Short mmCIF file of all heavy atoms in Angstrom, two decimals:
data_model
loop_
_atom_site.label_atom_id
_atom_site.label_comp_id
_atom_site.label_asym_id
_atom_site.label_seq_id
_atom_site.Cartn_x
_atom_site.Cartn_y
_atom_site.Cartn_z
N SER V 403 -15.89 0.47 5.48
CA SER V 403 -16.80 1.13 4.55
C SER V 403 -18.25 0.81 4.89
O SER V 403 -18.55 -0.20 5.52
CB SER V 403 -16.51 0.71 3.10
OG SER V 403 -16.60 -0.69 2.95
N VAL V 404 -19.13 1.72 4.46
CA VAL V 404 -20.58 1.57 4.64
C VAL V 404 -21.22 1.77 3.28
O VAL V 404 -20.84 2.70 2.54
CB VAL V 404 -21.12 2.62 5.63
CG1 VAL V 404 -22.62 2.38 5.88
CG2 VAL V 404 -20.36 2.59 6.95
N TRP V 405 -22.16 0.90 2.95
CA TRP V 405 -22.77 0.92 1.62
C TRP V 405 -24.28 1.12 1.79
O TRP V 405 -24.96 0.30 2.42
CB TRP V 405 -22.47 -0.41 0.91
CG TRP V 405 -20.99 -0.65 0.82
CD1 TRP V 405 -20.16 -1.06 1.83
CD2 TRP V 405 -20.16 -0.45 -0.33
NE1 TRP V 405 -18.86 -1.13 1.36
CE2 TRP V 405 -18.82 -0.78 0.04
CE3 TRP V 405 -20.40 -0.05 -1.66
CZ2 TRP V 405 -17.76 -0.69 -0.85
CZ3 TRP V 405 -19.34 0.02 -2.55
CH2 TRP V 405 -18.04 -0.29 -2.14
N SER V 406 -24.80 2.21 1.22
CA SER V 406 -26.19 2.56 1.46
C SER V 406 -26.67 3.53 0.41
O SER V 406 -25.88 4.27 -0.18
CB SER V 406 -26.30 3.21 2.86
OG SER V 406 -27.55 3.80 3.05
N SER V 407 -28.01 3.58 0.21
CA SER V 407 -28.59 4.58 -0.69
C SER V 407 -28.92 5.85 0.07
O SER V 407 -29.36 6.84 -0.53
CB SER V 407 -29.85 4.02 -1.35
OG SER V 407 -29.54 2.87 -2.08
N ASP V 408 -28.78 5.81 1.38
CA ASP V 408 -29.15 6.95 2.23
C ASP V 408 -27.89 7.50 2.90
O ASP V 408 -27.36 6.92 3.85
CB ASP V 408 -30.16 6.45 3.28
CG ASP V 408 -30.61 7.56 4.22
OD1 ASP V 408 -29.87 8.56 4.39
OD2 ASP V 408 -31.69 7.40 4.82
N ARG V 409 -27.39 8.62 2.39
CA ARG V 409 -26.11 9.14 2.87
C ARG V 409 -26.11 9.46 4.36
O ARG V 409 -25.15 9.17 5.07
CB ARG V 409 -25.75 10.40 2.07
CG ARG V 409 -24.40 10.94 2.43
CD ARG V 409 -23.96 12.07 1.52
NE ARG V 409 -22.97 12.90 2.21
CZ ARG V 409 -21.70 12.56 2.39
NH1 ARG V 409 -21.27 11.42 1.92
NH2 ARG V 409 -20.87 13.35 3.03
N ASP V 410 -27.22 10.04 4.85
CA ASP V 410 -27.25 10.38 6.28
C ASP V 410 -27.18 9.13 7.15
O ASP V 410 -26.50 9.11 8.17
CB ASP V 410 -28.52 11.17 6.61
CG ASP V 410 -28.45 12.58 6.03
OD1 ASP V 410 -27.31 13.04 5.77
OD2 ASP V 410 -29.50 13.20 5.83
N ARG V 411 -27.88 8.11 6.72
CA ARG V 411 -27.84 6.86 7.48
C ARG V 411 -26.43 6.27 7.43
O ARG V 411 -25.90 5.81 8.45
CB ARG V 411 -28.83 5.88 6.84
CG ARG V 411 -29.48 5.00 7.87
CD ARG V 411 -30.55 4.13 7.26
NE ARG V 411 -30.52 2.86 7.97
CZ ARG V 411 -30.58 1.68 7.42
NH1 ARG V 411 -30.67 1.57 6.11
NH2 ARG V 411 -30.53 0.60 8.16
N ALA V 412 -25.82 6.31 6.26
CA ALA V 412 -24.46 5.78 6.12
C ALA V 412 -23.50 6.57 7.00
O ALA V 412 -22.63 5.98 7.66
CB ALA V 412 -24.02 5.85 4.66
N LEU V 413 -23.66 7.88 7.05
CA LEU V 413 -22.78 8.70 7.89
C LEU V 413 -22.93 8.31 9.36
O LEU V 413 -21.94 8.27 10.11
CB LEU V 413 -23.12 10.19 7.72
CG LEU V 413 -22.61 10.86 6.45
CD1 LEU V 413 -23.21 12.26 6.30
CD2 LEU V 413 -21.09 10.93 6.45
N GLY V 414 -24.17 8.03 9.78
CA GLY V 414 -24.40 7.64 11.17
C GLY V 414 -23.66 6.36 11.51
O GLY V 414 -23.03 6.25 12.58
N VAL V 415 -23.71 5.40 10.61
CA VAL V 415 -23.00 4.12 10.85
C VAL V 415 -21.49 4.36 10.77
O VAL V 415 -20.71 3.88 11.61
CB VAL V 415 -23.45 3.04 9.85
CG1 VAL V 415 -22.62 1.77 10.01
CG2 VAL V 415 -24.94 2.74 10.04
N ALA V 416 -21.07 5.14 9.77
CA ALA V 416 -19.63 5.40 9.58
C ALA V 416 -19.02 6.00 10.84
O ALA V 416 -17.89 5.65 11.23
CB ALA V 416 -19.41 6.32 8.39
N SER V 417 -19.75 6.88 11.50
CA SER V 417 -19.19 7.57 12.67
C SER V 417 -18.98 6.60 13.83
O SER V 417 -18.25 6.91 14.77
CB SER V 417 -20.11 8.71 13.10
OG SER V 417 -21.32 8.17 13.61
N ARG V 418 -19.58 5.43 13.76
CA ARG V 418 -19.41 4.44 14.84
C ARG V 418 -18.30 3.43 14.54
O ARG V 418 -18.02 2.55 15.36
CB ARG V 418 -20.74 3.70 15.08
CG ARG V 418 -21.84 4.63 15.58
CD ARG V 418 -23.19 3.95 15.61
NE ARG V 418 -23.20 2.80 16.51
CZ ARG V 418 -24.19 1.90 16.56
NH1 ARG V 418 -25.23 2.02 15.73
NH2 ARG V 418 -24.13 0.89 17.39
N LEU V 419 -17.68 3.52 13.38
CA LEU V 419 -16.65 2.53 13.03
C LEU V 419 -15.27 3.01 13.46
O LEU V 419 -14.94 4.20 13.34
CB LEU V 419 -16.68 2.26 11.52
CG LEU V 419 -17.95 1.52 11.06
CD1 LEU V 419 -17.97 1.38 9.55
CD2 LEU V 419 -18.05 0.15 11.72
N GLU V 420 -14.47 2.07 13.95
CA GLU V 420 -13.13 2.39 14.46
C GLU V 420 -12.10 2.05 13.38
O GLU V 420 -11.78 0.87 13.17
CB GLU V 420 -12.85 1.57 15.72
CG GLU V 420 -13.80 1.91 16.86
CD GLU V 420 -13.75 0.88 17.98
OE1 GLU V 420 -12.92 -0.05 17.94
OE2 GLU V 420 -14.60 1.01 18.89
N ALA V 421 -11.61 3.08 12.69
CA ALA V 421 -10.63 2.88 11.62
C ALA V 421 -10.04 4.22 11.25
O ALA V 421 -10.63 5.27 11.56
CB ALA V 421 -11.31 2.26 10.39
N GLY V 422 -8.90 4.20 10.58
CA GLY V 422 -8.30 5.45 10.12
C GLY V 422 -9.19 6.14 9.10
O GLY V 422 -9.34 7.35 9.11
N THR V 423 -9.76 5.36 8.18
CA THR V 423 -10.64 5.92 7.14
C THR V 423 -11.89 5.05 7.04
O THR V 423 -11.79 3.82 7.07
CB THR V 423 -9.96 5.90 5.75
OG1 THR V 423 -8.73 6.62 5.83
CG2 THR V 423 -10.84 6.55 4.69
N THR V 424 -13.06 5.70 6.92
CA THR V 424 -14.28 4.97 6.59
C THR V 424 -14.83 5.57 5.30
O THR V 424 -15.08 6.77 5.22
CB THR V 424 -15.32 5.08 7.71
OG1 THR V 424 -14.76 4.51 8.90
CG2 THR V 424 -16.60 4.32 7.34
N TRP V 425 -14.95 4.74 4.28
CA TRP V 425 -15.49 5.20 3.00
C TRP V 425 -16.99 4.92 2.94
O TRP V 425 -17.47 3.96 3.57
CB TRP V 425 -14.81 4.44 1.85
CG TRP V 425 -13.39 4.85 1.60
CD1 TRP V 425 -12.96 5.88 0.82
CD2 TRP V 425 -12.19 4.21 2.09
NE1 TRP V 425 -11.58 5.93 0.80
CE2 TRP V 425 -11.08 4.92 1.57
CE3 TRP V 425 -11.94 3.12 2.92
CZ2 TRP V 425 -9.76 4.58 1.84
CZ3 TRP V 425 -10.63 2.78 3.20
CH2 TRP V 425 -9.56 3.50 2.68
#
Side-chain angles (χ1 to χ4, degrees):
S403 58
V404 184
W405 303 76
S406 169
S407 300
D408 179 337
R409 184 172 157 76
D410 288 339
R411 214 174 145 224
L413 283 171
V415 174
S417 68
R418 296 171 62 191
L419 292 176
E420 297 166 5
T423 304
T424 299
W425 288 274

